[in-house]
Amino acid sequence: MNIIFLGPPGVGKGTHAKLLGEELNIPQISTGDMLRAHIKGQTALGMAAKKHIDAGELVPDDVVIGMVKERLAQPDCENGFILDGFPRTIPQAEALKAITTIDAVIDLVAGNEVILGRLSGRRVCKDCGATYHISRLDGKTTCEACGGPLIHRVDDQPDTILNRLKVYEEQTAPLIAYYEQEGLLHAVSAEEGIEVDHQLIKEALGLTA
Ligand code: AP5
């Protein structure tokens, strides 16, 4: 199954794409994670992307499209994949349509207050990228998976969050109508908590018994 997770910053795309990918045994492809790996590795692409990401702006379409094309050509995508954070603009959606077919688009929906609470409380492992929320950390400051330090992402500071939400409304939200017209869109509430929301996603995809 080829699936897209759509939705504003902090709505839970990464959390749910990872869970579902593990259950279906297909890769979760996060363009945000790929770009952060480039920044960590100090590649030319990473250096060019950093200023956009830190400011809460989108990285130029040609850069991201090239990166995704290359990733989808890998053999582990043959049985399906979950795109998390791509496409984010109409030109990205058109480029994707030219290279592969999509079976379903999950549009995760939550109010701005929920999103602000999630992003301001999010902590990520500096070493492996695992994501946590302070409400579930019980004061811990290191990663359960690898022991690395937990940090607050540069783009999770209040002013940058507001800019990311604005950019989402202007450039990414039009994809909702785009995929509705394609007959692929499933809107799913993402406000109930991780376990409940995960079930709602599976129901929308027809994956429950
Ligand atoms: P990216 O990393 O993709 O950021 P994003 O889309 O803004 O999404 P986030 O990672 O912030 O949030 P999420 O929806 O994955 O939420 P999460 O699961 O972590 O991209 C970063 C930047 O890279 C962009 O701003 C842009 O510059 C660039 N970029 C990336 N892709 C691009 C593209 N295609 N084109 C151009 N530029 C691109 O959850 C958030 C928190 O909430 C966590 O703490 C989690 O534990 C908690 N949580 C999640 N779900 C629930 C729930 N149901 N109940 C309770 N808590 C929950």
Side-chain angles (χ1 to χ4, degrees):
M1 212 174 189
N2 299 345
I3 304 166
I4 292 171
F5 272 66
L6 195 65
V11 75
K13 299 181 297 296
T15 300
H16 290 293
K18 182 169 187 293
L19 272 176
L20 190 66
E22 283 167 3
E23 280 182 29
L24 299 180
N25 201 22
I26 55 176
Q28 167 212 4
I29 300 174
S30 158
T31 41
D33 287 351
M34 290 165 84
L35 290 165
R36 282 185 288 277
H38 274 282
I39 293 173
K40 202 173 172 191
Q42 300 194 324
T43 67
L45 190 157
M47 293 303 97
K50 189 174 184 326
K51 61 176 187 295
H52 299 288
I53 294 180
D54 287 355
E57 307 286 348
L58 295 185
V59 172
D61 283 339
D62 56 339
V63 174
V64 187
I65 290 168
M67 204 175 68
V68 170
K69 263 190 191 167
E70 217 172 272
R71 181 64 187 88
L72 291 180
Q74 300 297 312
D76 65 337
C77 294
E78 272 168 18
N79 295 324
F81 52 80
I82 302 178
L83 284 169
D84 156 15
F86 183 94
R88 258 178 156 97
T89 62
I90 299 285
Q92 290 182 19
E94 293 289 351
L96 182 65
K97 197 175 176 180
I99 54 174
T100 190
T101 54
I102 295 298
D103 299 304
V105 178
I106 296 291
D107 176 33
L108 294 176
V109 183
N112 276 3
E113 220 168 284
V114 172
I115 285 170
L116 287 170
R118 286 187 187 164
L119 289 180
S120 52
R122 175 165 62 182
R123 296 295 178 271
V124 292
C125 174
K126 194 173 178 211
D127 293 341
C128 75
T131 299
Y132 300 90
H133 192 272
I134 46 172
S135 59
R136 290 179 168 224
L137 274 172
D138 220 5
K140 288 190 211 81
T141 56
T142 52
C143 177
E144 267 173 25
C146 77
L150 300 183
I151 58 163
H152 201 184
R153 267 171 47 175
V154 174
D155 60 347
D156 279 349
Q157 306 304 323
D159 283 354
T160 316
I161 294 174
L162 292 178
N163 195 38
R164 285 163 66 199
L165 287 169
K166 184 169 163 272
V167 167
Y168 169 79
E169 284 304 329
E170 289 170 0
Q171 299 188 51
T172 306
L175 289 175
I176 296 171
Y178 177 95
Y179 282 118
E180 198 158 34
Q181 210 169 1
E182 300 263 314
L184 295 172
L185 194 81
H186 303 269
V188 176
S189 164
E191 291 202 332
E192 310 302 326
I194 293 172
E195 290 76 15
V196 174
D197 297 344
H198 185 59
Q199 282 312 310
L200 294 175
I201 291 168
K202 285 172 68 174
E203 274 169 32
L205 292 170
L207 294 172
T208 43

